[in-house]
Amino acid sequence: MTGRAERWLSEQLVHGELRIGEVVVRRNHKEKFVIHHCDSDWNTATRRSTNAAMARVFARTDSTGAYRPLKSAPNLAQDWVLVLSNVQEVRQALDLLYPAAIGMWLAHEDGKLAVVNFCATAGRQSGMYKIVGEAAPELVDEVSQRTCASGGKCLRTILWEIVPGRKPGGHPPSKFEPQIDQLTGLPRERRVLPILCAEACNFFVAACRATLKEERADTVHLRTEGTAE
Amino acid sequence: MPGNRRRFISTYGFEAMKKSRALVIVAHGSTLNPDSSEPTHARAEEIRSRDIFAEVICCFWKEEPSLREVRYMVESEEVYVVPNFISEGYFTRKVIPREMELTGPLTYLGGKMWKYCAPTGSHPMMTELLLKRAAEVAPGVDPREVSLLIVGHGTSLNDNSAVAAKEQARRISQRGIYGEVLNAYMEEPPLVADWARFARHRNVIVVPFFISDGLHSYQDIPVLLGIEREPTAAASERNIFRENPYNLRGKVLYYASAIGTEPGFSDVILDQTELFDRCHAGTVFQ
């Protein structure tokens, strides 16, 4: 079955190459598909595979061997290349390198991407994350600056707002603009697929919780000190 | 287990039926330990290689793709959602349905029919997998002279894992294969840390009733058992399961990897989709 994502990928690759985040996909002269880090020379890569599933291994750790739970972080290791036989394998590899990026972009183009503001995301949390529903917009700003910045943290384009009309603060306007390439900060070329962020992710929610907990621990600490005096 | 595998697949004969459908395997994942999601990815790859479903996709609570975003990856109109969790509880009853917007066993959402299956850990085959894992970890040891410990997390914060582990111990005990079958938990009595005190036999086999070799089975439980003095870094490469047996506290201890790493989980996942269809045959979506 050739699905929508695979047809779209085929169309893109007819025109040449496609870049998602730090990854480039192109056809080589043998009618195979080559996927590699955009800053690496794939001819000299020492980790080479023809198995699309190996994309998960290449995406798992950065160049220092540290775990990469956030796949859109701009710290993808460079020394690898995938040489794949067909567009189905390309889709599988890209879904492992940048999970859901293609599907979300197609949904966005179809007007079917559901953007959920932070207040709704936080409001539905339960258990240990229920506290996040109490996060003030200023705290969301602070966490967003710390965890979402395209320069070093996350290459996604933020579409959500904290509450309607209130974007997370501390970012340049380009962080919210799908027509900007988050890797370069320049207007996006047609061959570049933006990685969309339609809703605060679990990493973000967890970071809000940790910040709230720290703040409250400090408050309790100060209050205790005050009582002792 | 090959016999069981044939039985599950040939009895229901579902392989040819699902080629236009998607399978989504949902697991917890971890932002700290890459080993957490490994068994789920491995099972997905194995099922994908069988060419039963048009799409086989994983999603995670703590990793990507998230439970929220996986819907954009699925293209098939009929989707089986199988939680790779050890027990029914907080995640399977509350978090997964909420995040994926599933309103019941059958949900029509975004032009697709979502079929929410039972978690892997509740499958009847789990008892067989635990027995297989226990036999493999201590070859040549007479089971009648063994205390088998099925270890769960414990505490109400972690699903019904203690209840599920207890039920498995009861079922295995009924078989009369092992000298004794006990439960132990990380955070509630009987505590794993006291294993040498309550295990009656000299030979002790410990099988963690967890989905993955994450922080608990690689780091926490080895410390509680006395294999390690303190938690070390995440350790896919460490030989903790290959150095059996451990001579500790006057006993011979055999420590198995988490039950969720058992390759037979692929059949369990597939069978949960089949069981769903059998349970909900004739259900009309309103």
Side-chain angles (χ1 to χ4, degrees):
Chain A
M1 184 179 86
T2 303
R4 166 93 199 280
E6 288 160 16
R7 289 196 302 275
W8 179 85
L9 269 173
S10 295
E11 289 163 15
Q12 294 298 306
L13 292 168
V14 162
H15 300 298
E17 65 177 39
L18 172 70
R19 178 162 66 73
I20 306 180
E22 297 178 282
V23 156
V24 168
V25 190
R26 61 165 65 95
R27 280 180 185 273
N28 74 356
H29 60 281
K30 292 175 183 168
E31 289 300 298
K32 299 262 187 182
F33 296 90
V34 179
I35 305 182
H36 61 93
H37 190 288
C38 61
D39 291 335
S40 75
D41 176 3
W42 68 274
N43 289 296
T44 59
T46 57
R47 292 192 292 169
R48 312 175 75 84
S49 180
T50 55
N51 178 3
M54 281 297 288
R56 181 167 62 82
V57 177
F58 298 149
R60 187 161 53 197
T61 53
D62 65 16
S63 58
T64 70
Y67 177 40
R68 295 177 71 239
L70 184 63
K71 301 304 178 216
S72 47
N75 60 354
L76 185 66
Q78 295 193 14
D79 183 27
W80 59 271
V81 62
L82 286 166
V83 180
L84 304 176
S85 298
N86 56 55
V87 79
Q88 289 81 9
E89 292 178 356
V90 171
R91 186 203 171 187
Q92 186 190 343
L94 293 177
D95 277 345
L96 292 166
L97 290 158
Y98 292 103
I102 297 172
M104 290 178 71
W105 174 251
L106 295 178
H108 175 72
E109 293 225 296
D110 292 345
K112 292 179 177 173
L113 182 67
V115 175
V116 179
N117 288 336
F118 181 81
C119 58
T121 305
R124 71 165 193 269
Q125 300 302 313
S126 58
M128 64 188 282
Y129 296 111
K130 191 171 177 61
I131 189 176
V132 176
E134 300 168 25
E138 293 73 21
L139 182 136
V140 180
D141 290 341
E142 180 199 329
V143 172
S144 177
Q145 288 166 45
R146 196 157 22 94
T147 61
C148 306
S150 293
K153 297 300 180 184
C154 181
L155 292 175
R156 288 193 186 226
T157 302
I158 297 176
L159 302 180
W160 51 271
E161 299 176 319
I162 300 174
V163 292
R166 168 80 157 81
K167 296 182 193 304
H171 296 287
S174 59
K175 183 65 179 172
F176 309 98
E177 179 48 68
Q179 294 309 318
I180 297 294
D181 180 350
Q182 296 299 323
L183 188 66
T184 63
L186 300 171
R188 182 174 68 85
E189 296 173 37
R190 188 176 182 277
R191 67 184 183 98
V192 176
L193 180 88
I195 310 168
L196 302 178
C197 179
E199 180 172 3
C201 64
N202 186 270
F203 306 93
F204 190 89
V205 170
C208 285
R209 174 184 178 270
T211 307
L212 268 168
K213 288 276 194 186
E214 280 170 22
E215 279 187 0
R216 292 184 181 185
D218 286 347
T219 307
V220 170
H221 180 64
L222 288 171
R223 202 179 295 146
T224 309
E225 281 183 340
T227 307
E229 285 172 6
Chain B
M1 205 45 57
N4 276 324
R5 177 168 156 175
R6 276 195 297 276
R7 179 168 61 80
F8 277 100
I9 290 180
S10 62
T11 302
Y12 307 137
F14 58 79
E15 290 192 51
M17 297 166 53
K18 296 196 169 74
K19 286 203 170 175
S20 61
R21 305 171 191 181
L23 170 65
V24 173
I25 309 171
V26 187
H28 191 282
S30 168
T31 56
L32 302 173
N33 192 326
D35 300 326
S36 178
S37 57
E38 202 54 38
T40 301
H41 281 297
R43 299 293 83 75
E45 281 171 28
E46 208 270 318
I47 293 170
R48 197 176 289 125
S49 73
R50 296 193 203 181
D51 199 24
I52 296 171
F53 288 91
E55 303 169 90
V56 181
I57 302 169
C58 302
C59 67
F60 302 93
W61 173 233
K62 290 282 200 173
E63 293 181 38
E64 297 167 290
S66 69
L67 307 182
R68 303 288 292 173
E69 293 179 346
V70 72
R71 74 188 67 176
Y72 299 113
M73 300 175 76
V74 177
E75 297 190 359
S76 306
E77 291 180 357
E78 197 169 340
V79 191
Y80 292 85
V81 178
V82 179
N84 197 17
F85 280 75
I86 217 70
S87 57
E88 286 274 12
Y90 176 64
F91 282 102
T92 61
R93 291 177 186 154
K94 185 160 187 172
V95 175
I96 296 172
R98 182 190 73 208
E99 296 295 298
M100 297 185 75
E101 298 180 24
L102 306 177
T103 54
L106 285 163
T107 303
Y108 189 72
L109 178 70
K112 304 179 196 312
M113 180 62 76
W114 299 78
K115 298 179 166 185
Y116 189 39
C117 306
T120 50
S122 67
H123 193 277
M125 201 172 162
M126 210 49 51
T127 311
E128 309 300 331
L129 296 180
L130 285 165
L131 281 166
K132 177 173 179 279
R133 179 55 54 97
E136 283 174 349
V137 77
V141 177
D142 184 350
R144 290 169 299 184
E145 296 172 6
V146 167
S147 296
L148 173 61
L149 268 62
I150 308 298
V151 174
H153 190 283
T155 83
S156 59
L157 294 175
N158 199 275
D159 263 9
N160 289 320
S161 62
V163 175
K166 193 172 290 182
E167 174 60 15
Q168 290 302 332
R170 187 188 65 80
R171 288 182 192 177
I172 294 171
S173 187
Q174 281 180 340
R175 306 269 183 111
I177 299 169
Y178 284 91
E180 65 175 350
V181 185
L182 304 167
N183 285 115
Y185 307 102
M186 292 174 60
E187 295 189 357
E188 67 182 59
L191 292 167
V192 180
D194 298 331
W195 66 276
R197 192 167 50 76
F198 58 74
R200 191 157 44 87
H201 293 275
R202 185 162 182 271
N203 296 311
V204 180
I205 298 174
V206 174
V207 183
F209 196 47
F210 292 93
I211 285 296
S212 67
D213 280 329
L215 293 173
H216 297 323
S217 64
Y218 261 127
Q219 297 177 280
D220 299 335
I221 297 174
V223 172
L224 295 169
L225 291 170
I227 294 173
E228 302 276 359
R229 285 190 178 176
E230 57 186 30
T232 54
S236 328
E237 291 83 23
R238 279 169 55 218
N239 289 326
I240 201 151
F241 306 116
R242 279 170 268 168
E243 291 173 2
N244 285 316
Y246 293 90
N247 290 295
L248 285 170
R249 303 176 189 175
K251 308 262 186 191
V252 181
L253 174 71
Y254 298 85
Y255 183 49
S257 54
I259 193 61
T261 63
E262 171 61 42
F265 260 64
S266 299
D267 290 323
V268 170
I269 291 167
L270 291 173
D271 208 52
Q272 291 297 39
T273 67
E274 180 58 17
L275 288 171
F276 181 94
D277 282 342
R278 292 170 70 198
C279 289
H280 296 278
T283 302
V284 178
F285 178 75
Q286 298 294 320

